[in-house]
Amino acid sequence: RSTLFPYTTLFRSIEALGKLGPAAYLAIRTLEDLSLRKRDIDPMVVHAARLALVALGPEGKKHAARIAINDLRYETPVPDVAVREEAAGILLKTGEFATPYVPEMIEAMHEDKSPVVLQLLAQTFGAIGPAAAAAVGGLTSDLRNPELNVRLAAVEALGEIAQEDELAIPAIARALQDPSEDMRASAAEV
């Protein structure tokens, strides 16, 4: 037998729970335990458990968002960018259930330099919508980021959050002058 056998079995079991959706509500505690980063659990198993939590519906998303914000908060600015990127990706998948963590996400946005983390956080703010209005200042700063994907995510999030905001309007107008045609088109659509 392969040494991967236990992880393969566990991984497939976790995937199956995620596919059950809300019907697997009773599995939340087990998935939450697997979702916590422990040295003795393979990172792929941790990731699969987090995705399964998200798939379990509202209650699972609440748990997944709480776990992800802890990774994002405690890993920033620790050099394990993969952990921070995964945490930001899970927050995006939880959508509106990440709303209670907007202050922590804003803090991470100011501290983190990873373009992937910044893009995912901007997309999460956009998914949250007007309840993420406190992020407008950071998003306007992200419009000056050298990475196009970060700028695109920021302008799109500003459009979802605060089209009437006194900080957002001039920032979106400046984005119309961006050197990137894609950026100018996104700003025009906002």
Side-chain angles (χ1 to χ4, degrees):
R1 280 193 169 174
S2 163
T3 57
L4 294 177
F5 177 75
Y7 286 123
T8 303
T9 303
L10 185 58
F11 185 78
R12 287 186 179 142
S13 299
I14 291 168
E15 281 184 320
L17 283 173
K19 289 177 184 174
L20 288 174
Y25 175 77
L26 296 175
I28 286 179
R29 177 63 61 201
T30 301
L31 290 171
E32 188 175 38
D33 289 344
L34 288 171
S35 293
L36 298 172
R37 290 208 178 273
K38 297 180 181 173
R39 295 186 193 276
D40 59 334
I41 297 179
D42 183 274
M44 290 301 294
V45 171
V46 171
H47 184 67
R50 291 176 181 193
L51 291 176
L53 272 174
V54 170
L56 291 181
E59 199 60 35
K61 287 180 180 183
K62 288 178 193 175
H63 289 269
R66 183 177 45 77
I67 292 167
I69 198 65
N70 284 333
D71 273 355
L72 189 66
R73 191 171 53 198
Y74 295 120
E75 288 295 332
T76 304
V78 173
D80 193 349
V81 70
V83 171
R84 297 191 322 270
E85 288 173 356
E86 186 222 10
I90 293 293
L91 286 167
L92 176 57
K93 289 180 185 306
T94 65
E96 67 187 53
F97 296 97
T99 302
Y101 307 107
V102 165
E104 290 93 339
M105 289 188 294
I106 292 169
E107 184 179 327
M109 183 174 57
H110 291 303
E111 293 176 4
D112 211 301
K113 302 298 180 230
S114 164
V116 173
V117 171
L118 296 175
Q119 175 186 347
L120 291 167
L121 288 175
Q123 290 171 325
T124 304
F125 292 133
I128 291 170
V136 167
L139 290 167
T140 59
S141 295
D142 278 353
L143 292 175
R144 293 185 296 276
N145 191 292
E147 295 289 329
L148 177 60
N149 288 339
V150 173
R151 296 195 314 271
L152 285 170
V155 77
E156 290 168 9
L158 286 169
E160 295 295 325
I161 294 170
Q163 292 180 347
E164 307 292 322
D165 188 275
E166 62 187 46
L167 288 174
I169 293 171
I172 293 168
R174 281 191 305 276
L176 291 168
Q177 306 303 315
D178 193 275
S180 165
E181 184 178 332
D182 290 340
M183 183 65 177
R184 292 191 306 270
S186 285
E189 289 178 13
V190 170

